Amino acid sequence: MAGIEESGQGSTVAWVDPMGDPFLRTRFAPPARPVTFLRRERLVEHLDQALLTPLTVVNGAAGAGKTLLVAEWVTGLAQPVAWFTADTADQQPGMFWAYVLQALRSSGVPLPDDVRCPADASRVDRTLLARLAAELSGRDRPAIVVLDEYDRVTAPEIAEQLEFVLHHAGPGMRLVLVTRTEPLLPVHRYRAAGDLTEIRNAELAFTPEEAVLLLELHGLRLPVHAVGALVDRTGGWAAGLRLCALAARESPDPERYLKEFEAGRSTVADYLLAEVLKRRTAETQDLLLRVSILERLCPDLANALTRRTDAEPILAELHRENAFVEDLGRSWYRLHPLFGEILRAHLRERCPGLEPELHRRAARWLLSSGFLPETIAHGAAAGDWEFTAGAFVDGLAIGQLFTGLRRDELAELFSRMGPEATSPATDVVRAARDLSQGDLDRGLARLHHAGASLAADVPVATDVPGPAAARLSCALLEALAARLAGSPLQAERAAEAAEELRQAVPAHLLGQHPELMALLLTHLGSTRLWVGRFEDARTALSAAAGCPGGASTALVREESLGHLALIDYLNGWHGRAERKALAATTDSERFGLCGSSGPDIGRMVLAAVAVDRNELDHAQALLDEAAGSRLSARDPVPATGRSLVTARLLLARGKTRAALAAVDPTVSTEVTSPWAQAQAALVASAAHLAEGRPDAAAEVLRQVPDDQPACAVVAARAQLAAGRPAGALDLLDRLRAEGPAGPAVTVRATLTRAQAALEAGDSAAAGKLVGQALLEARRERLRRPFLEAGPWIRRLLGTAPLQPLAAGWLTTGDAPRLETPAPLVVQELSERERDVLRRLAQMMSTEEIAADLCVSVNTVKTHLKSVYRKLAVNRRNEAVRRARELRLL
């Protein structure tokens, strides 16, 4: 017989449950919040919506902070709340409703005498539920009922009864369910009607900013980047962060501990193994351990690892129960990152030696399903390098070692391949790595060895039938080797072979890897450029620059545009060269790529243009940014170009001896480049002229082919300096007859004619010619031709007709002194670059800027590099100072 006690309102309240046991009062009280609890306003404000909707579901994994969040919200309400923590013992309807009614009475909700505690633990009278619903529906103020750990309620009968009461109570009841699983209620109906407030696992995760505050409550003050890394590793999981913080407090170096702690041997591991893994069946535990090696998984892939067929229902159940398995959509899942890390450690302990075999099974399933990047990763993890290299080469992915978002990752992955791996595919991959580092001899040796095996029809990998893709990969590497060797004949042969092999390769593979043909065209175009076949080079390079592929071809397009810019520069069209070079240097930045692993020809061309504009500091900054890799040091075009720009810069600074020493790039090639020879002669000739040796200057230029317009102009200057004006004019007349050249050539030619006219006593003709040169040079801000012209031009620039043409960009005011202007902003800063610049001015570190803008550190570095280039600086404080001068801050 149930006992009774008097309430303040005179009503009776049962104090024992239907089994005759006393109610456990702790199940009616929200848990106390620990002193390290962090109130998160965004979640509390979201929970306030629970007052407006009949049903609220707070659904998250174990340790996600669900219960403490709701408990904190409850304490802030200005009205009582009925709190009931469910238990597995409450599975019988009579017992469940006895506790719910007791929770309502304990919170001060008056219930009439006819709403009594059920006498039978196994059942509840429908009339009782109807009376309860009717009583609640008549309330002026809704009763708030929180059912904590509702995932323990698994009886469908109880769920139906709860839905009945909630529906008929109407606005008189607000039900809040705190659960690990999707509740047994028609949640979809409430969601469709707008009568549901939901807080799920993703929203419960701590943000980096919240994690900083949480760690401070634990006595830890850490840099933003360190906290961000911890949040990434734990997925913002509340219990994981708290357990890590407690452990870190005991460490002499908390920051290092949080960065390097072994997940498999930690309190976090103990928690997850007890709360998630050990509660599962043996089949589920086995599946979780085996799939822990995967970044993402689907039922078929999981079945391949377990060699069973039950993965689909197990994964669906794990996701439904918030067991740290996230649904990615389309039947793909992934494990919580820290849970996966712990499971992998547990797998090694429980099943030593099994992990490589699991990676091997995963690699073969992924290859057969067309997931090449993951195939490569798992093949490498298994240590099966013949299979991995074979899949990589036969998948036509060899170009990804040179371009695209995965080039650094792949380079690091294949660097682990040992010498014991021997197959044509491993030779191809090693050849690619050697050539990417400029090791031509070793790369060619490996390439020829692979080619010999393929010619004998040795398959690249046992899983792949034909070697056409491998041979096409070899053709690409042959073209790169030809480029490094300066061998046009070898490059053309490689291009022809590639064109034939394309017909034998599946079209879908070529479509998936546009970078391969883009790279081949760039190598061909660079080799043609080297030997002076500018128009043929332009054809190949333009095709490469127009290749589709987004990020996969961004670096190739950058490089090909840089080569096209160099052609324009060598032809004297600096404006065109600048536009292409700017496009080259910004294309890869759009995809967050931090610059090419090969030559940065675009910046090198911009530096050359800056020299002719007499923006010497800016030119030096651009040259410093364009510091090349080992590959570019071996590549004749960028190596020669860099040495020539360096020499011209030194020459502009008056360092003639240093310029002569810098002009030779010491790159050996099969064929001599006519333009490289001509440009070197130009530097040497200009140095001789600067030191008063016109005959030596003329002699240097006699060794250059006659079809180099820039050389003809300098030769004319040398003739004029030697007192042979007729010879000078004859050279200039022949240049004019050969056709139009770019302004960098024609401005110098016009100034040489002006000097000849002045020395002949025709000042009017000289002034007119200088005026023509000023008009043409002003469009492209070409200042060096006037500085090189000599003292005679200063007097002419001070005359009335020419002053307006020179003022503002060449001279200062009315003075005939040539101005050396401060570098201009090459290009407008983007909004994100301004964001970075503003934080730079606040003395924030790169890591702090990344955390503040929620981007990666590499992305910030890319933006900084772009800011430095656009402001013509190469240091942080200089960028801030320059930005303030330009009123950008």
Side-chain angles (χ1 to χ4, degrees):
M1 179 177 177
I4 59 172
E5 62 181 20
E6 295 298 320
S7 71
Q9 290 79 18
S11 61
T12 59
V13 179
W15 55 271
V16 294
D17 66 25
M19 301 295 292
D21 296 323
F23 285 111
L24 301 175
R25 297 178 184 274
T26 53
R27 296 177 64 188
F28 302 122
R33 275 84 63 216
V35 293
T36 56
F37 175 77
L38 176 69
R39 176 184 172 90
R40 294 188 279 170
E41 291 298 335
R42 65 180 175 89
L43 295 178
V44 174
E45 289 174 6
H46 192 171
L47 262 181
D48 285 340
Q49 297 176 26
L51 301 174
L52 306 175
T53 58
L55 179 62
T56 295
V57 177
V58 182
N59 186 349
K66 310 177 295 296
T67 299
L68 290 178
L69 166 65
V70 177
E72 173 69 13
W73 173 71
V74 162
T75 59
L77 295 177
Q79 62 187 99
V81 174
W83 184 288
F84 166 43
T85 301
D87 190 272
T88 52
D90 305 324
Q91 290 302 303
Q92 299 184 84
M95 185 68 73
F96 174 84
W97 284 105
Y99 265 92
V100 171
L101 292 173
Q102 182 64 18
L104 285 166
R105 289 189 172 101
S106 298
S107 69
V109 176
L111 297 177
D113 292 341
D114 59 352
V115 182
R116 295 177 178 272
C117 175
D120 187 346
S122 64
R123 60 179 296 277
V124 63
D125 192 339
R126 187 79 167 185
T127 303
L128 173 64
L129 299 179
R131 288 171 180 166
L132 173 61
E135 177 65 24
L136 292 175
S137 68
R139 287 179 56 84
D140 296 333
R141 195 174 192 184
I144 301 173
V145 181
V146 175
L147 299 185
D148 188 23
E149 299 191 28
Y150 183 73
D151 48 279
R152 295 185 175 188
V153 179
T154 58
E157 184 181 1
I158 294 176
E160 291 175 7
Q161 294 164 354
L162 187 61
E163 158 63 10
F164 172 83
V165 173
L166 180 62
H167 176 72
H168 291 287
M173 182 180 180
R174 297 288 182 256
L175 179 62
V176 179
L177 303 181
V178 183
T179 175
R180 293 186 187 183
T181 65
E182 192 71 12
L184 291 174
L185 285 175
V187 174
H188 61 282
R189 291 211 302 261
Y190 287 90
R191 186 182 292 119
D195 290 335
L196 176 67
T197 298
E198 288 184 278
I199 295 180
R200 293 189 170 267
N201 218 39
E203 191 176 354
L204 289 166
F206 273 69
T207 66
E209 294 75 18
E210 290 169 344
V212 168
L213 298 175
L214 179 66
L215 293 177
E216 287 179 355
L217 289 173
H218 287 78
L220 299 173
R221 292 184 177 274
L222 300 176
V224 174
H225 68 88
V227 177
L230 180 63
V231 170
D232 287 342
R233 192 174 179 190
T234 61
W237 177 47
L241 288 169
R242 289 192 175 95
L243 291 171
C244 287
L246 290 171
R249 283 198 311 192
E250 307 301 319
S251 171
D253 189 345
E255 182 178 349
R256 183 174 180 180
Y257 173 84
L258 291 175
K259 180 180 179 182
E260 300 177 357
F261 75 90
E262 294 184 48
R265 300 178 180 276
S266 65
T267 55
V268 181
D270 296 338
Y271 182 95
L272 280 174
L273 292 175
E275 287 290 324
V276 181
L277 187 65
K278 293 178 181 177
R279 292 187 176 192
R280 305 292 160 184
T281 65
E283 291 79 11
T284 300
Q285 288 188 37
D286 180 67
L287 181 141
L288 283 170
L289 288 172
R290 288 170 182 260
V291 302
S292 66
I293 67 161
L294 303 168
E295 290 291 326
R296 62 177 189 140
L297 62 142
C298 66
D300 286 345
L301 176 53
N303 286 335
L305 267 58
T306 61
R307 292 185 171 168
R308 303 198 309 263
T309 59
D310 57 355
E312 186 169 4
I314 291 177
L315 289 171
E317 180 68 11
L318 288 168
H319 170 63
R320 193 186 75 80
E321 295 183 2
N322 275 320
F324 295 88
V325 175
E326 180 184 351
D327 188 351
L328 301 177
R330 298 187 178 183
S331 297
W332 283 90
Y333 300 86
R334 70 179 171 196
L335 299 180
H336 182 284
L338 194 57
F339 187 38
E341 195 175 340
I342 291 167
L343 287 174
R344 286 191 293 277
H346 200 56
L347 171 68
R348 295 180 195 117
E349 186 175 305
R350 183 186 288 190
C351 307
L354 179 60
E355 193 171 358
E357 173 59 24
L358 293 174
H359 281 295
R360 191 172 289 108
R361 293 183 199 172
R364 278 160 172 74
W365 186 92
L366 289 161
L367 179 62
S368 66
S369 301
F371 298 104
L372 184 60
E374 290 157 296
T375 297
I376 304 307
H378 286 287
D384 192 343
W385 292 108
E386 286 86 356
F387 169 85
T388 303
F392 185 67
V393 172
D394 291 332
L396 213 62
I398 197 72
Q400 291 183 353
L401 283 170
F402 301 94
T403 185
L405 296 172
R406 301 184 62 234
R407 60 196 169 97
D408 295 334
E409 171 196 337
L410 288 168
E412 192 280 328
L413 183 146
F414 280 110
S415 70
R416 306 198 301 268
M417 184 168 63
E420 69 282 355
T422 55
S423 71
T426 57
D427 279 337
V428 171
V429 172
R430 289 191 181 102
R433 293 187 60 235
D434 290 338
L435 292 172
S436 71
Q437 297 177 24
D439 192 338
L440 182 59
D441 293 337
R442 181 179 293 185
L444 276 174
R446 295 189 193 280
L447 195 55
H448 292 156
H449 188 267
S453 299
L454 291 168
D457 286 332
V458 176
V460 176
T462 56
D463 301 69
V464 182
R471 289 174 177 166
L472 182 54
S473 299
C474 287
L476 168 67
L477 299 181
E478 290 281 2
L480 173 56
R483 169 179 169 177
L484 298 181
S487 174
L489 183 58
Q490 184 183 345
E492 297 294 342
R493 285 175 178 168
E496 290 171 6
E499 189 58 36
E500 291 181 10
L501 288 164
R502 285 181 63 186
Q503 312 306 316
V505 174
H508 74 275
L509 271 184
L510 289 169
Q512 290 170 6
H513 296 286
E515 72 277 355
L516 189 136
M517 294 309 298
L519 281 165
L520 192 139
L521 287 167
T522 302
H523 299 334
L524 180 63
S526 182
T527 311
R528 288 173 174 176
L529 191 161
W530 173 249
V531 296
R533 294 167 52 194
F534 287 174
E535 290 311 309
D536 291 338
R538 197 189 301 275
T539 299
L541 293 167
S542 297
C547 276
S552 68
T553 57
L555 296 178
V556 193
R557 295 197 304 272
E558 174 183 324
E559 193 175 345
S560 57
L561 281 169
H563 280 79
L564 289 168
L566 179 58
I567 293 174
D568 284 334
Y569 172 81
L570 292 172
N571 285 332
W573 297 96
H574 288 15
R576 297 177 190 173
E578 180 185 41
R579 288 189 290 274
K580 289 187 177 70
L582 285 172
T585 56
T586 57
D587 193 24
S588 60
E589 291 173 5
R590 294 190 298 116
F591 297 97
L593 295 166
C594 298
S596 171
S597 59
D600 193 346
I601 298 181
R603 283 185 175 81
M604 185 187 74
V605 171
L606 288 174
V609 172
V611 171
D612 256 7
R613 290 175 176 170
N614 204 44
E615 297 168 357
L616 305 185
D617 291 340
H618 184 35
Q620 186 62 64
L622 288 165
L623 268 181
D624 292 341
E625 286 183 21
S629 62
R630 290 171 63 182
L631 176 61
S632 62
R634 183 65 184 80
D635 190 342
V637 171
T640 300
R642 181 176 179 81
S643 67
L644 290 170
V645 177
T646 301
R648 288 183 56 77
L649 179 58
L650 289 168
L651 202 59
R653 295 188 186 279
K655 300 177 181 179
T656 54
R657 294 297 174 187
L660 288 170
V663 79
D664 184 6
T666 64
V667 176
S668 60
T669 56
E670 289 186 15
V671 176
T672 301
S673 170
W675 63 263
Q677 183 183 8
Q679 292 291 322
L682 280 173
V683 171
S685 179
H688 288 310
L689 280 175
E691 293 180 349
R693 296 191 297 275
D695 289 334
E699 183 59 32
V700 167
L701 293 169
R702 288 192 186 98
Q703 303 170 21
V704 178
D706 294 336
D707 59 348
Q708 300 292 326
C711 291
V713 175
V714 177
R717 285 185 57 210
Q719 291 291 327
L720 201 58
R724 295 187 287 271
L729 292 173
D730 180 57
L731 286 169
L732 294 174
D733 288 339
R734 275 189 282 165
L735 173 63
R736 178 184 290 173
E738 289 171 0
V745 176
T746 56
V747 167
R748 286 180 167 89
T750 303
L751 289 176
T752 305
R753 285 184 180 278
Q755 183 181 0
L758 190 65
E759 291 181 2
D762 193 346
S763 299
K768 185 177 181 181
L769 288 166
V770 170
Q772 292 175 7
L774 285 168
L775 286 170
E776 191 171 9
R778 185 168 61 181
R779 287 193 295 269
E780 299 193 2
R781 305 198 307 279
L782 296 174
R783 300 183 182 94
R784 286 304 310 169
F786 297 90
L787 291 166
E788 295 166 355
W792 63 270
I793 201 171
R794 298 178 186 275
R795 179 172 56 82
L796 285 177
L797 292 176
T799 60
L802 298 181
Q803 280 182 4
L805 296 177
W809 71 276
L810 184 62
T811 62
T812 304
D814 295 331
R817 180 177 60 84
L818 292 180
E819 179 188 12
T820 303
L824 303 175
V825 179
V826 173
Q827 190 177 357
E828 289 297 321
L829 300 184
S830 68
E831 189 56 41
R832 182 44 62 95
E833 288 165 353
R834 288 174 181 266
D835 289 340
V836 171
L837 189 57
R838 281 190 284 270
R839 286 157 177 79
L840 209 63
Q842 297 169 18
M843 305 298 289
M844 293 174 70
S845 68
T846 304
E847 291 78 9
E848 290 169 338
I849 295 173
D852 199 37
L853 293 177
C854 298
V855 298
S856 71
V857 171
N858 278 344
T859 299
V860 173
K861 289 180 179 177
T862 298
H863 288 314
L864 285 174
K865 190 174 182 181
S866 181
V867 168
Y868 294 164
R869 173 176 56 79
K870 291 178 179 181
L871 295 181
V873 298
N874 51 20
R875 292 185 180 86
R876 287 170 168 249
N877 58 347
E878 292 174 355
V880 173
R881 176 182 56 76
R882 181 73 177 138
R884 284 179 175 143
E885 288 175 359
L886 297 169
R887 299 186 178 180
L888 297 176
L889 292 174

